[in-house]
Amino acid sequence: MSTNISTKIDIQKIAKSRISEVDFENLVFGSTFTDHMFECDFVDGEWQTPKIRPYQPLVMEPSSKVFHYGQAVFEGMKAYKDEDGKVFLFRPDQNQKRINISAKRLAIPEFPEEYFMDGLITLMKMDHEWIKPGEGNSLYIRPFVMATEPGVVASRSNNYKFMIICSPVKPYYKGEVKVEIAQKFSRAADGGVGYAKAAGNYGAQFYPTKLAIEKGYQQVIWTDASTHSFLEEAGTMNVFFRVNDTLLTAPISDRILDGVTRKSLIQIAKDQGIPVEERRVTVKEIVAAAQDGTLKEIFGAGTAAVISPIIAFAYDEIEYDLPKLENSYAQQLKKYVTDIQYNRSEDPYGWRFEVKI
Ligand SMILES: *Cc1c(COP(=O)(O)O)cnc(C)c1O
């Protein structure tokens, strides 16, 4: 990967930036967008010349396949600014590869690596003023692809639109998170699309999550679809359990999203001497560990929050509280990752990617 742009991109700049209208102190996550968006259409069997133009509504046929069959995948990544105004992405190659893994599962053509990286870098250069320095401030980046061919016949689309839109965000804090372990509904099944960031995976979670919220839980911990006895993901995050001093997390499979945060945390934890086990984690062992006091922490891991500590979980209508720890793994690991992201520490893994403005 390099920051030299080799892709031809048709650029139309906004006449006047909207940035002065934005209250950066009171941003609602993912609801304000930067001046520009990246767009590239797949027609006649190939990706056309990419464009960057002012962020604006799209005009689409009501029969576009994405509206009827949900043929769409997305990514979530962030850009960070250090105190000197340098801009960084975190492991963008991982998101570039993953959107094509997701696309393949949904029969969407792969998006060329250099279009993805060059589009992203050009957009960052154009909209870098929307990235604010300071702990927790970042630019949330949403690449996505959708089926645009008109026609309600239920078959794979011939046309697609790939886009990148960007949203400035504040630190992601959801308050104290309590979760409910799924005993009826499922997020993903063997042979399904759980490992893909497919739009429909999220739509399908909203109803079970709504039921959990009505009971006072913010998220659902998803279990395996066939037996509901293995713990797999927390809402839209990967999930980690600390029993005694060992971290446990489910292994990657076709039901688990291969999170960039997850794999980064595993690497850091191992290198910091924390024992990590990637294996199937049973509901039974976690309930038993909660009862005998060996369960120390549960946290979700994902780009939006890096780590989201969980304070309690419910199973069989019984609520189990987690202890409040000083210097938890969640705090230590979050600091390690964010220090790399914000250029406050060495980057022994080469995960930081500077976008030269
Ligand atoms: C995106 C996502 C994650 C986290 O992935 P990151 O690359 O760490 O952001 C985990 N689980 C699900 C279901 C996801 O959609």
Side-chain angles (χ1 to χ4, degrees):
M1 285 187 305
S2 94
T3 41
N4 299 328
I5 305 298
S6 54
T7 305
K8 178 183 173 330
I9 303 175
D10 283 344
I11 295 178
Q12 183 200 337
K13 282 202 177 130
I14 198 165
K16 184 178 179 296
S17 173
R18 287 181 283 102
I19 197 165
S20 60
E21 298 159 22
V22 176
D23 177 2
F24 280 87
E25 290 309 308
N26 294 295
L27 294 167
V28 177
F29 189 91
S31 57
T32 302
F33 293 91
T34 63
D35 285 330
H36 298 96
M37 61 186 197
F38 175 86
E39 196 176 347
C40 187
D41 291 315
F42 186 90
V43 285
D44 300 331
E46 55 190 358
W47 292 104
Q48 306 295 311
T49 303
K51 292 183 269 195
I52 290 180
R53 53 183 182 128
Y55 181 91
Q56 61 191 271
L58 301 175
V59 176
M60 289 175 71
E61 294 258 357
S63 65
S64 297
K65 291 199 180 193
V66 64
F67 299 137
H68 305 273
Y69 307 116
Q71 199 188 5
V73 298
F74 67 96
E75 267 304 321
M77 54 201 297
K78 279 179 169 180
Y80 310 87
K81 194 172 262 178
D82 74 4
E83 296 302 329
D84 299 329
K86 288 187 187 156
V87 172
F88 299 93
L89 298 166
F90 183 71
R91 309 186 75 177
D93 55 315
Q94 299 292 317
N95 302 93
Q96 184 276 318
K97 290 192 182 83
R98 194 169 64 189
I99 200 165
N100 284 335
I101 293 170
S102 299
K104 186 171 180 192
R105 179 62 182 81
L106 276 283
I108 296 172
E110 278 195 20
F111 193 63
E113 178 184 345
E114 64 281 7
Y115 278 25
F116 182 101
M117 288 309 301
D118 288 355
L120 184 60
I121 291 164
T122 308
L123 201 52
M124 291 302 105
K125 290 184 186 203
M126 291 173 70
D127 285 349
H128 71 91
E129 280 175 16
W130 294 76
I131 314 171
K132 300 297 176 193
E135 180 64 44
N137 293 331
S138 61
L139 188 69
Y140 184 79
I141 303 167
R142 171 53 61 88
F144 62 104
V145 204
M146 59 183 163
T148 49
E149 188 186 355
V152 293
V153 57
S155 62
R156 137 180 96 80
S157 177
N158 285 308
N159 304 342
Y160 298 88
K161 188 183 281 297
F162 179 99
M163 300 194 74
I164 306 176
I165 56 175
C166 305
S167 173
V169 295
K170 296 286 292 168
Y172 195 84
Y173 182 67
K174 274 262 158 98
E176 300 204 312
V177 179
K178 289 184 178 187
V179 297
E180 183 180 40
I181 295 179
Q183 294 182 268
K184 176 172 179 216
F185 294 101
S186 305
R187 191 191 86 86
D190 292 335
V193 292
Y195 69 95
K197 271 184 124 65
N201 283 349
Y202 303 82
Q205 278 186 216
F206 296 157
Y207 175 65
T209 306
K210 171 175 173 274
L211 297 181
I213 290 170
E214 283 165 6
K215 291 201 239 164
Y217 301 96
Q218 288 77 45
Q219 280 298 347
V220 176
I221 292 202
W222 301 105
T223 48
D224 67 296
S226 35
T227 67
H228 295 293
S229 55
F230 298 99
L231 297 156
E232 305 207 315
E233 297 216 49
T236 56
M237 293 181 285
N238 295 115
V239 64
F240 286 81
F241 303 87
R242 173 181 173 185
V243 177
N244 289 313
D245 286 332
T246 301
L247 272 183
L248 309 174
T249 194
I252 293 308
S253 73
D254 57 4
R255 299 188 309 277
I256 311 267
L257 201 291
D258 186 6
V260 179
T261 316
R262 174 188 177 281
K263 68 175 108 180
S264 304
L265 294 177
I266 291 172
Q267 173 98 53
I268 293 165
K270 284 182 175 165
D271 292 347
Q272 296 297 306
I274 295 173
V276 183
E277 292 177 18
E278 285 178 70
R279 61 163 174 84
R280 302 188 85 183
V281 182
T282 63
V283 177
K284 219 170 142 188
E285 73 179 300
I286 294 305
V287 169
Q291 285 165 341
D292 70 18
T294 53
L295 180 67
K296 303 276 176 59
E297 297 178 49
I298 305 179
F299 54 84
T303 295
V306 185
I307 286 181
S308 180
I310 289 164
I311 63 154
F313 73 89
Y315 182 68
D316 266 347
E317 311 294 324
I318 301 171
E319 193 170 305
Y320 301 86
D321 289 325
L322 285 142
K324 286 199 174 62
L325 297 186
E326 299 283 318
N327 201 24
S328 62
Y329 282 177
Q331 286 167 319
Q332 292 174 46
L333 292 168
K334 181 168 182 172
K335 179 168 189 320
Y336 200 105
V337 175
T338 54
D339 280 351
I340 294 179
Q341 290 170 336
Y342 288 88
N343 193 29
R344 292 187 300 242
S345 68
E346 287 302 302
D347 174 20
Y349 306 106
W351 288 341
R352 214 159 39 214
F353 178 87
E354 185 178 351
V355 179
K356 298 238 163 58
I357 300 304

